[in-house]
Amino acid sequence: MYRHNSKVRSSPRGSSPPDSPPSGDPGQDLGSGNPDTPRQRSARLTAFIAGGVVIAVAAGGVVLVPHWTQAAKSPSKAAAPSVSSVAVQRTDLSDSVSMDGTLGHGSPRNISSTSDGTVTWLPAVGATVSRGHQLYRVDNRPAVVFYGSTPLYRRLDTVGMVGPDVRVVADNLRALGYDIGAQPPVGTLVTLSQADASDEAAADTTPDVPQESEGSKASSGSPSPTAPTATESSVPQRVQPGDSVLTQGLKAAIGRWQRAARVPETSVLEPGDAIVTTGAVRVDQLKVKSGDAASGELLSVTGTGKRVTVQASEDDSSAVRKGNTVEVTLPDGTTVPGRISAVGTVIRPGSEEGGDAGSDPTRTITVVLDEGKQSAAVRGVDSAPVQVRFTGRTAKDVLVVPVGALLALSEGGYGVQLRDGKLIKVTTGLFAKGLVEISGSVKAGTKVVTTS
């Protein structure tokens, strides 16, 4: 109740009351000088209750709005949060997380020379080098770019050599327009041959590959001890999927390719003659200059397409998977779809004292942008900060309401309130984008109360 602190002086009998009541006295009828009547006190109590009570629950932004019978409008100036009704919807709901990323050309790869000598030529930083073009020169011998996944790890010089490195050479020379002849099919047994690889007649026609199938081996009989064959000391190799064979035709193609490159035509390929990459490369950095010794790292390269690199903790990226689609917000404010092309985990070693286990593992996430939807502003920059939105869990065909429609129930859990005041307990699921998945005695289209 309001407390009256002002003293009221009684008027002499027959005198008139004051012209106006003293300020700050809402609790008495000063015209008569008598205390409040029961009816007056009841009216003020009703006005106080009509103001309502709103309790805000900080966690999750849930608002508890008790249901009461509407009374007279309170004269208080403090306005209660407005409420409205919304229909329960059935839809798909996905949560997402945004992380900072760097737009560029991806992580660089260091290129080292496999041959001794002197660096005699290097490309310019930012140059693009595609299949069949030189990446650098050592002793004036070019190292060209071949596409593939297996590097050249040995000297290819003998007819009958089998392996995935031979396949890289065969595929690239064929792509560059050279006729490499026929290749033995998968499953064929092939032995090394000491035949003269410079025999032009054999090289320019059909491949001369000594082959030995299991059937022909049984029918050909044993070789004469006085006339040993060139394959006696060789162990047959079976052609596996992904392999190719160094045939006479392929060796001849190597020679013609060397002639076009203006290098000695030996029909022999050294490991340093070709640098195998997954595609065209962009020169990122030069680590030596022309005239330096060709030892160690010479330069670094990246892919030619734009990439986004994200450094994330293992917990933040636990739902990230290779092949998932993402949305990238570019520096000019536009969004471009992308795809996760690689997820690599980096574990830093502990201290030398052995007492520290090192920092937590981190993940490097590489995102490939959709080339057809890149803006001109992006094509013109080499590096820029971006935002990457990763989609995590997805709930299909579920009922959802705004988070503001949830009511914290006194007995625990949550409920929603119908427009007629009835409370219905619900079970919550996925929270995402200001919505929450619910289940219970509700259905799509039901109107529930929510904060606005």
Side-chain angles (χ1 to χ4, degrees), residues 141 254-268:
R141 186 180 181 93
I254 293 173
R256 295 193 296 273
W257 172 67
Q258 290 173 330
R259 187 189 315 155
R262 297 181 181 179
V263 297
E265 187 178 346
T266 62
S267 294
V268 173

Side-chain angles (χ1 to χ4, degrees), residues 55-64 403-408 414 431:
I55 301 175
V57 182
V62 179
V63 177
L64 175 61
V403 174
L406 289 182
L407 304 178
Y414 296 99
F431 286 77

